[in-house]
Amino acid sequence: MTTFLLACILNAFSQTSNKQQFSTNKLVNTLIERIKLSGYAQGGFDYYDQSSPKDQFKIARIIFMADARIDSRTNAFVMYDFKTSALHELWFNHKFHPAFSVKVGQFKTPFSIENQLSPTVLEMIYPTSLAAGYMIGGSNNLMMKGSAGRDIGIDLHGSLLKGWLSYDIALMNGAGRNKADDNSQKDFVVRLGVHPAQWLTLSGSLLKGTGNIEVYRNEAGQIVSDLAGISGLKHNGNYRRDRYAIGAEIKTRPVNLRTEYMSGKDGNETSNAIYATGSINNIMKNIDLVASYDYLDIWSGKTNRYSAGLQYWFYPRCRVQLGYGLSDTEGLHKENCILTQIQVRF
């Protein structure tokens, strides 16, 4: 009798364990199906002949991404940089219709073509062109310093006319990523893309906003910050901050070309910039020839930058890059640089 009872208990336990194992396997399979994990790392060696130190090994980015598909129309996304220990993106998107989706959270401000692109596909080792860096990328104190082109807000977006027209209409804080808003105004952003052919995109962007900045003064009341040359900025106050961009992108198998003109207004100062970046693909097996020209005209002076290089794709989405750049800024010595970078992406 005892033996029979023990056998029944063991059999019940076995069935329970099998059910638990089945449930666990089902949960794991569901997570695998619904959550896509990816990431990339970029690092290399830089030499600048006018900098101190002149050369350095560097780790540029160590990015982890997770895209969770909640259902067929809803997903959530997170991007984290282990190099800077900073959250890049965290957003939720729901697709009501191919023509209308809503994204809420922290993401790239929908301004310009280049700001939407990942560093893993940009041709040059520089993180952005001078134009995109100054106007939206966070390389200057006037436009969300250090934001990498990201901000917190809501974006209505979609595709119309069988994919011929895409749009974004966004309302953003205007303070940058991982930051509380610094005034009661919001940035209004509109971006339109026209796609008359699969290989051609025409784009136009508008950003109307209000910036806020601390302009430091000494005891005599003189501005002592690096923004002393800008008029129309109040001490610890708001100022007008607008951006405009038009551009085009051509993507074919042998040749890619992207160019944009951007204009800005900060206080009473205007800024203008243009860039053109292109690549000739597979000049040899898996080797691309890349080149770029940047022009930036801002309150502190004009800069021309000329760049060229090679990139070798040793595995899908993984590459080694070698580049040369010449930067010519008014009032400064011309600067030459040699840049190298390796990218591993999974």
Side-chain angles (χ1 to χ4, degrees):
M1 185 68 177
T2 305
T3 305
F4 175 74
L5 290 175
L6 180 60
C8 290
I9 293 171
L10 290 174
N11 182 61
F13 179 78
S14 175
Q15 290 180 355
T16 302
S17 298
N18 288 337
K19 289 180 181 179
Q20 290 177 341
Q21 183 65 36
F22 176 78
S23 299
T24 301
N25 290 340
K26 185 178 180 180
L27 175 61
V28 171
N29 289 334
T30 299
L31 290 175
I32 292 174
E33 291 174 359
R34 292 180 177 267
I35 300 178
K36 181 181 179 182
L37 304 179
S38 59
Y40 67 91
Q42 293 175 324
F45 180 82
D46 294 348
Y47 169 80
Y48 289 86
D49 66 357
Q50 298 297 321
S51 299
S52 180
K54 293 182 179 295
D55 51 67
Q56 64 170 333
F57 292 98
K58 69 172 185 180
I59 296 175
R61 299 164 194 86
I62 305 174
I63 301 293
F64 168 79
M65 295 173 284
D67 191 342
R69 180 172 56 85
I70 299 170
D71 57 39
S72 60
R73 296 188 300 170
T74 309
N75 71 300
F77 181 84
V78 61
M79 175 188 288
Y80 187 84
D81 187 353
F82 284 94
K83 192 262 182 177
T84 58
S85 299
L87 178 70
H88 279 206
E89 298 186 19
L90 178 61
W91 48 262
F92 169 91
N93 187 80
H94 184 75
K95 189 175 187 178
F96 292 92
H97 185 272
F100 181 70
S101 298
V102 177
K103 181 191 290 187
V104 180
Q106 180 168 286
F107 47 86
K108 285 192 172 184
T109 301
F111 178 86
S112 80
I113 298 173
E114 185 177 299
N115 193 49
Q116 312 312 304
L117 300 177
S118 165
T120 61
V121 299
L122 290 175
E123 300 85 350
M124 312 310 296
I125 300 174
Y126 305 115
T128 62
S129 64
L130 293 175
Y134 183 87
M135 297 294 177
I136 193 68
S139 65
N140 78 93
N141 289 329
L142 297 175
M143 192 66 202
M144 303 184 303
K145 177 72 172 178
S147 67
R150 293 173 171 89
D151 199 4
I152 303 172
I154 182 170
D155 178 26
L156 312 181
H157 60 100
S159 180
L160 303 168
L161 303 176
K162 297 182 178 181
W164 277 55
L165 177 68
S166 60
Y167 72 91
D168 289 89
I169 303 173
L171 200 63
M172 315 293 290
N173 277 346
R177 66 181 183 186
N178 304 325
K179 294 180 180 178
D181 203 351
D182 50 16
N183 57 34
S184 298
Q185 287 72 34
K186 298 293 177 284
D187 284 4
F188 176 69
V189 189
V190 176
R191 185 170 70 99
L192 296 177
V194 180
H195 316 279
Q198 192 173 22
W199 51 270
L200 176 62
T201 295
L202 306 175
S203 176
S205 304
L206 163 71
L207 186 153
K208 300 285 288 184
T210 303
N212 180 282
I213 198 167
E214 293 183 355
V215 179
Y216 299 102
R217 299 172 185 268
N218 59 22
E219 294 180 356
Q222 299 171 319
I223 298 177
V224 294
S225 73
D226 58 354
L227 303 176
I230 299 184
S231 60
L233 299 189
K234 299 177 181 179
H235 176 50
N236 295 339
N238 297 333
Y239 61 93
R240 175 185 175 186
R241 187 180 65 191
D242 301 334
R243 298 288 187 268
Y244 311 90
I246 56 171
E249 185 175 33
I250 297 172
K251 298 186 72 173
T252 67
R253 181 168 296 181
V255 175
N256 292 343
L257 176 63
R258 183 177 66 257
T259 183
E260 291 187 271
Y261 167 78
M262 303 184 195
S263 178
K265 184 81 172 182
D266 296 292
N268 296 328
E269 299 292 332
T270 59
S271 52
N272 296 282
I274 190 170
Y275 77 88
T277 300
S279 65
I280 302 175
N281 305 318
N282 279 311
I283 58 171
M284 296 176 62
K285 186 177 180 180
N286 297 331
I287 296 178
D288 304 334
L289 175 65
V290 299
S292 182
Y293 169 70
D294 282 311
Y295 172 76
L296 179 64
D297 181 5
I298 60 175
W299 61 276
S300 59
K302 300 176 182 178
T303 299
N304 290 275
R305 187 171 72 184
Y306 311 86
S307 309
L310 296 169
Q311 57 184 10
Y312 169 60
W313 299 89
F314 60 89
Y315 195 75
R317 303 189 294 181
C318 300
R319 60 183 171 174
V320 176
Q321 297 169 273
L322 172 65
Y324 165 77
L326 170 62
S327 182
D328 184 5
T329 301
E330 284 183 338
L332 300 176
H333 293 290
K334 293 182 180 180
E335 183 170 58
N336 297 276
C337 68
I338 297 175
L339 310 176
T340 65
Q341 182 166 271
I342 183 169
Q343 168 183 304
V344 178
R345 182 176 176 180
F346 64 92

